[in-house]
Amino acid sequence: MTQLYAADHVLPVGAEPVRRGAVAVADGAIAMVGPLDAVRAAHPEADVEDLGRAVLMPALVNAHTHLEYAGYGGFGDGLPFAAWLADHIARRPRLVPGDVEAQAALGALLCLQAGVGTIGDASYAGASLAAATAAGLRGTVHLEAFGGPDADPAAVADALAERLDALEPAARGLVGLGVSPHSPYSVAPAVFAALVGLARARGVTAMAHVAESAAELEAVRDGSGPIADALAALTRIEATGRHPVDLLADRGLIGPGLILVHAVHVDDAQAAAIGASGAAVVHCPRSNALLGCGIAPVPALRAAGAPVAIGTDSPASAGDFDIWAELRAAVQGARAREGRADALTAGDAIRMATLDGARALGLEGVVGALAPGLRADLVAVDLVGTPYAEAEDPAVAVVMAGAPERVLLTIVDGVVRYRRSADAERVAAALAAAEPGRRRMIGDTD
Ligand SMILES: [Zn+2]
């Protein structure tokens, strides 16, 4: 059974845009991309859904999410990084069983609503796996692990391996499991090495928050400062005298399969080393801006050859899962930082959120573009009601005007997983289900 989707603009990524184009989908895969007339002539019996004044493109890859924090938006806004972290650690115990699951389910649906087909999640509780799978998303859920200098590295890795084993039967669909050594400040070097070793032994990706804040650099170098103070009740932090990137590189931990989230505070030499290593980077510009962390050197990292993906991080820092706002922030931040209007183009940003996101998550050749043989992950963005309804460049149009509210449908593996015209009640129900947990975190116990 072949289904055709047509739109005023087809934006394949990696190939030229097509005016009045269409995509043929059969058995969950892309069968053909081209002008509508040609695609229809090749599939005369297929149904055609015409999406009109819209851009049809690969579903986006949100390469760093925390679905379980879907209801955390705005908490601690304006606090310095360490105080913000402490605020979240203090609120989390107020949740009761069921709250995390409801938040993860909301997060998964909000990602689909934003036009995301693939996620790279970092998961504290493991609830993201069931939520993402149930929603029909694709991607990897990286289970977070922590362990200071007094922890036994093998014991931390073994405990995480047990958690992975327990969840493995639920990870046989489009969502797989990975490992997340949380960060160099919350995971001591030997523990970090054991966790990366576990990921490598299992052939899965490892995702860590690295070089995010100046406070992190101070904590890892000196074992002191605001993060050490904020985490004092949980762990001590060893003074290593090193920058987090150098510390991990010293131990041979930066390489293929490691996904460095943030990489804000890296110099040119570190960016070059990351690019040469085969490691991937996820850029989360709104989170970095709102927490006062800075702007990552995206052009340098991309020039060095690293796949630099885009992630919203969690609503705890970025406010929501709006990947379109993230794309705009990436473009704005790169141009502001470099003082050049061509520092990052709309097309570059889209590539980061599609092909490069797929590369970062090990899904190159599976998703990230519209091309025959790839899995059929698509999003259609409605341009009606925007100044871009008559679009000159569809990449510019979607980066400037894209928003969850403008997503007409999101298709993953050939299946429509979100449709704006049909899913308003579903979104409202997920928001309502997550609200009691949010109230508890605010401290409202009525
Ligand atoms: Zn994160």
Side-chain angles (χ1 to χ4, degrees):
M1 176 74 184
T2 302
Q3 172 73 46
L4 308 191
Y5 296 95
D8 272 9
H9 302 274
V10 171
L11 184 60
V13 181
E16 287 301 305
V18 184
R19 275 306 283 247
R20 284 310 293 156
V23 178
V25 174
D27 299 324
I30 295 168
M32 186 176 178
V33 181
L36 173 58
D37 291 347
V39 176
R40 193 156 42 195
H43 302 88
E45 325 80 48
D47 282 344
V48 183
E49 177 170 356
D50 194 336
L51 299 155
R53 301 179 99 175
V55 177
L56 183 61
M57 60 185 286
L60 299 188
V61 177
N62 188 341
H64 182 59
T65 59
H66 297 263
L67 297 186
E68 293 164 0
Y69 302 160
Y72 285 35
F75 294 159
D77 183 62
L79 292 176
F81 183 82
W84 168 84
L85 193 67
D87 180 68
H88 285 274
I89 293 169
R91 288 178 197 257
R92 191 151 53 197
R94 299 179 195 163
L95 296 173
V96 303
D99 285 344
V100 173
E101 289 76 8
Q103 298 220 2
L106 173 63
L109 183 54
L110 293 177
C111 283
L112 282 175
Q113 184 191 33
V116 165
T118 296
I119 58 164
D121 196 68
S123 168
Y124 182 77
S128 296
L129 176 66
T133 301
L137 284 164
R138 183 191 304 280
T140 303
V141 169
H142 301 84
L143 292 189
E144 288 183 327
F146 303 80
D150 301 321
D152 174 357
V156 173
D158 287 349
L160 192 70
E162 272 182 35
R163 292 181 63 205
L164 291 168
D165 288 342
L167 286 170
E168 193 62 47
R172 304 254 162 92
L174 296 178
V175 187
L177 289 166
V179 172
S180 178
H182 174 260
S183 173
Y185 65 77
S186 55
V187 181
V191 179
F192 205 109
L195 291 166
V196 170
L198 173 67
R200 288 177 179 167
R202 290 190 170 228
V204 300
T205 46
M207 172 176 275
H209 304 85
V210 177
E212 179 177 7
S213 64
E216 173 192 334
L217 268 55
E218 183 182 359
V220 171
R221 186 183 63 232
D222 303 335
S224 60
I227 289 183
D229 294 344
L231 299 185
L234 299 172
T235 184
R236 74 185 176 86
I237 301 177
E238 199 170 45
T240 65
R242 300 290 279 158
H243 182 286
V245 169
D246 298 333
L247 180 70
L248 299 178
D250 288 348
R251 290 177 167 256
L253 302 177
I254 296 188
L258 181 66
I259 301 166
L260 300 167
V261 180
H262 299 307
V264 173
H265 295 274
V266 297
D267 63 22
D268 288 349
Q270 289 159 342
I274 292 168
S277 74
V281 172
V282 185
H283 179 45
C284 305
R286 292 187 307 161
S287 172
N288 299 153
L290 288 165
L291 292 176
C293 291
I295 304 173
V298 171
L301 287 160
R302 296 182 86 233
V308 182
I310 296 259
T312 55
D313 210 336
S314 81
S317 52
D320 55 43
F321 290 109
D322 184 347
I323 189 83
W324 306 100
E326 208 69 50
L327 291 175
R328 285 189 288 280
V331 169
Q332 292 158 357
R335 294 180 188 182
R337 186 185 199 275
E338 308 293 324
R340 294 189 286 119
D342 62 354
L344 197 73
T345 67
D348 292 337
I350 286 174
R351 195 182 165 94
M352 291 168 73
T354 54
L355 271 178
D356 290 341
R359 277 174 73 201
L361 294 173
L363 291 170
E364 193 173 13
V366 180
V367 295
L370 303 182
L374 296 189
R375 301 307 296 170
D377 289 17
L378 293 86
V379 59
V381 182
D382 190 8
L383 298 179
V384 173
T386 80
Y388 298 88
E390 277 302 324
E392 184 175 42
D393 179 338
V396 172
V398 286
V399 167
M400 296 304 170
E405 298 75 23
R406 301 204 193 285
V407 169
L408 290 168
L409 50 76
T410 306
I411 296 171
V412 183
D413 220 45
V415 179
V416 177
R417 293 298 186 179
Y418 170 81
R419 189 182 282 279
R420 185 174 72 177
S421 60
D423 282 332
E425 281 182 28
R426 196 171 146 225
V427 174
L431 283 164
E435 208 170 89
R438 181 171 167 84
R439 278 204 301 271
R440 274 185 271 281
M441 294 189 81
I442 291 171
D444 175 1
T445 50
D446 294 341

